[in-house]
Amino acid sequence: GDVKESVPKIHHRAVQQQQCLLRDALDLHLASGKIRLSACPPEEKDCAHRCRSYCSFQSDCRVYFAVDRDCFTSSYPSVMPLLTRIPGSVGGFIPPEKLPKGANHGGG
């Protein structure tokens, strides 16, 4: 049964390689400013909720994703497939009509 034993190894290697590519792509988007990264405060229990709120108050934010204590936001819906592949990520789209009208005015 050599074949059966090698399949999980190949799969594991593929997953590792995919995560490396994922990290590279993420780094690239962060460097270019396509994806913004902020951190949830330590006392925040629900980072995904916090991340969503944070995104919905930014006039140009369309996509939010929380991974552990990290909050990724972007105004480019095209980064969605990348963010959904991150293990443990929770997030989604912010529909344009949900955005507050005066998001870029006033204190905050």
Side-chain angles (χ1 to χ4, degrees):
D2 287 347
V3 177
K4 276 184 184 151
E5 284 163 14
S6 66
V7 171
K9 281 183 189 166
I10 292 167
H11 178 70
H12 181 68
R13 198 176 302 138
V15 169
Q16 278 188 318
Q17 202 167 357
Q18 194 181 11
Q19 285 177 350
C20 285
L21 290 170
L22 206 68
R23 209 169 291 124
D24 288 349
L26 191 61
D27 287 345
L28 200 67
H29 284 323
L30 286 167
S32 70
K34 220 173 182 183
I35 296 175
R36 295 180 291 267
L37 172 62
S38 51
C40 287
E43 70 275 4
E44 181 59 64
K45 295 279 181 284
D46 189 352
C47 191
H49 178 73
R50 178 76 170 236
C51 194
R52 187 177 197 275
S53 301
Y54 174 71
C55 185
S56 65
F57 280 112
Q58 293 179 315
S59 56
D60 65 338
C61 191
R62 290 289 174 271
V63 178
Y64 74 97
F65 267 87
V67 184
D68 297 323
R69 308 226 62 74
D70 292 331
C71 170
F72 297 96
T73 56
S74 179
S75 40
Y76 300 92
S78 60
V79 302
M80 188 82 168
L82 170 69
L83 292 169
T84 53
R85 284 194 192 99
I86 299 170
S89 65
V90 181
F93 281 114
I94 303 282
E97 66 273 8
K98 282 273 194 295
L99 299 169
K101 288 285 179 278
N104 48 1
H105 306 299

